[in-house]
Amino acid sequence: MNGNSISEDDARLIHALQISPRAPWSELSRALSASPSALAQRFARLYEAGLVRTTGHPTWINTRSHTAFAEIDVEPGALADVTDTLAELPTAMTLDATSSGTCLVATLNAPHPSALAAMLLETVPSLPGVRDVRAHVATSILKTGDRWNLRALEPEEAGRISGPRPPRARASRNLDPAFRSALMAELGRDARVPASVLARTLGVSEQKVHDGIAVVLHGDEFRLRTDVVNAWSGWPVHIWYFVEVPPRQLTAVAAALTAQPEVRYVGTSAGPANLTFDVWLRSLGVLHALEAKIDSLSQTGVKIRRQIVLRTPKRLGHLLDHDGRFTERYVVPPA
C-alpha cells in the first residue's frame, strides 16, 4: 500500500480474487507469478487493514422483485441516528451517505415483495428523523457489483484463473435448509474461510462443506464476490444516478451502460426515475464527461440527477468505519 492507494501487486491480487474469490493460493500463484505464501500474506495485510473483503450473498438479492433503492431524506442532525438504526436491519444491505449531509441512499433487499413493501411503507418512513423516502423499485437488473473488477490483470492472466469446481457426482443436491442458511451466512461473512474451519463452525464434515459450497454456487443459489474500499482502489469517487430516459430508449440506454467500465450497478426501475445506476470514477473531474456520454446515449436527451457519496457505512451487510474501511461487524441478510 502506498499513501492512500493500493499497490499494483495488491490490485492484481484483488482482481484475481474478484474473478474467483475462493481460488486456492496455489492456483493464484501460477496466474500471478508469486508464491502462495506471499499472496496469502499480502491478502492478510489487506484484510487486517480493512481494505478488502471476500464475501457473498444469496442470489435472490439480485432479483428485481426484491430490490429497491431508497433516497432517504432526514432532518438536520439526524443522519447518524437513522444510519445506525438502518445498519442493524438485515434488509438494508447497503447504506451510502451523500454530500447533502441529510440524505442516505439505501439498497433494500427483501426475501419477498411484501417484506420490501413493509420496509418502504412502514419501517423506513416511521424512523425518528426521517422526512421523506423516494423509492426506486427495480424492474430489471442488468449489472451488479460482482461483475466489476479493478482491471489490473491482462486478459491472458485473468484467463488462467478458473471458477469454482462443480459438485462431485456423489454430492447431494438437496441440502438441509438450516445447513444451507448457516453456510451462506458464514460465506457472506468471509468467503475465503477454509472448509476445515467451516466444518468445525457448522458441526459437519469437511466433505459436506465442500459439497455444500459447490451445490449453492453451481445451482446459482449463492454468489461470491470480492469487494475493495473504493477510496483505496484507484476509483475513489462514488456516485448514484437516478435518471429519466424516454421509455422507447430505456432498454437501449440501460444496455449500453453495462459496457461502461465505471458502472458497477445498472437496472431499470419504477419510481421517480426509470433508470438507476452507480459508478466509481477516477476523479470528480471526469463527472461531466461521463454525464455527457450518458446524455448522448439517448436521442432526445435524459434528465439526470446525481447523489455523490461521501461515506458508505454499510456494504452488503458489512459495516464500515468512518474512513470507509471494513470492520468485523456483519449483519446477516435474511434467508
Side-chain angles (χ1 to χ4, degrees):
M1 295 178 286
N2 301 310
N4 63 344
S5 63
I6 55 178
S7 68
E8 181 180 349
D9 286 340
D10 289 342
R12 286 166 52 80
L13 172 59
I14 294 170
H15 184 175
L17 289 171
Q18 288 174 323
I19 296 171
S20 184
R22 282 189 65 85
W25 296 125
S26 57
E27 179 182 336
L28 296 180
S29 172
R30 293 189 293 272
L32 300 176
S33 301
S35 71
S37 61
L39 294 177
Q41 291 170 6
R42 185 176 301 147
F43 177 75
R45 175 172 48 83
L46 292 166
Y47 184 99
E48 290 168 5
L51 299 180
V52 66
R53 285 293 183 272
T54 51
T55 180
H57 56 78
T59 307
W60 66 257
I61 285 174
N62 286 342
T63 303
R64 62 188 181 186
S65 61
H66 303 290
T67 299
F69 302 92
E71 297 177 87
I72 305 170
D73 291 333
V74 302
E75 300 288 347
L79 184 63
D81 288 341
V82 173
T83 299
D84 289 345
T85 300
L86 288 173
E88 298 300 326
L89 299 182
T91 46
M93 290 288 289
T94 298
L95 299 172
D96 293 308
T98 73
S99 57
S100 71
T102 58
C103 182
L104 275 175
V105 177
T107 303
L108 306 178
N109 299 96
H112 45 79
S114 61
L116 183 62
M119 279 291 292
L120 292 172
L121 299 176
E122 300 161 14
T123 303
V124 177
S126 67
L127 293 178
V130 170
R131 292 190 301 188
D132 188 32
V133 179
R134 294 182 301 280
H136 310 268
V137 180
T139 56
S140 71
I141 296 176
L142 285 77
K143 184 178 182 180
T144 53
D146 56 295
R147 290 175 52 193
W148 185 93
N149 62 63
L150 291 177
R151 294 180 292 287
L153 297 177
E154 297 295 332
E156 180 183 356
E157 294 174 313
R160 299 176 196 157
I161 303 170
S162 59
R165 296 178 181 178
R168 63 191 182 111
R170 295 176 58 187
S172 172
R173 270 55 174 180
N174 298 315
L175 301 181
D176 173 73
F179 168 68
R180 178 192 286 107
S181 295
L183 177 63
M184 289 182 176
E186 293 301 321
L187 291 174
R189 188 183 311 276
D190 183 354
R192 285 198 68 82
V193 173
S196 58
V197 175
L198 287 172
R200 291 194 297 271
T201 300
L202 301 176
V204 299
S205 69
E206 193 170 332
Q207 185 61 63
K208 183 171 182 177
V209 168
H210 282 298
D211 289 345
I213 292 174
V215 167
V216 298
L217 294 183
H218 284 268
D220 200 28
E221 299 178 57
F222 195 81
R223 190 165 296 171
L224 299 177
R225 60 188 284 170
T226 298
D227 272 318
V228 60
V229 172
N230 67 298
W232 286 70
S233 69
W235 305 76
V237 179
H238 183 193
I239 305 175
W240 274 104
Y241 280 98
F242 303 96
V243 182
E244 294 179 56
V245 181
R248 291 185 179 181
Q249 299 166 33
L250 178 60
T251 300
V253 171
L257 280 172
T258 64
Q260 301 300 314
E262 305 92 345
V263 174
R264 286 173 53 86
Y265 169 90
V266 59
T268 59
S269 55
N274 60 6
L275 180 64
T276 303
F277 63 97
D278 80 321
V279 301
W280 283 9
L281 303 178
R282 294 288 192 186
S283 69
L284 194 58
V286 303
L287 176 151
H288 302 296
L290 171 66
E291 293 179 0
K293 183 187 297 183
I294 296 167
D295 187 68
S296 71
L297 294 173
S298 172
Q299 298 174 0
T300 57
V302 298
K303 294 182 180 179
I304 297 175
R305 188 163 51 80
R306 74 177 84 90
Q307 293 278 14
I308 299 176
V309 176
L310 297 186
R311 183 179 294 162
T312 297
K314 185 180 183 183
R315 183 186 297 164
L316 281 177
H318 290 263
L319 273 62
L320 284 66
D321 65 19
H322 282 186
D323 293 323
R325 299 178 183 234
F326 289 98
T327 69
E328 294 304 311
R329 287 274 290 113
Y330 174 62
V331 179
V332 181

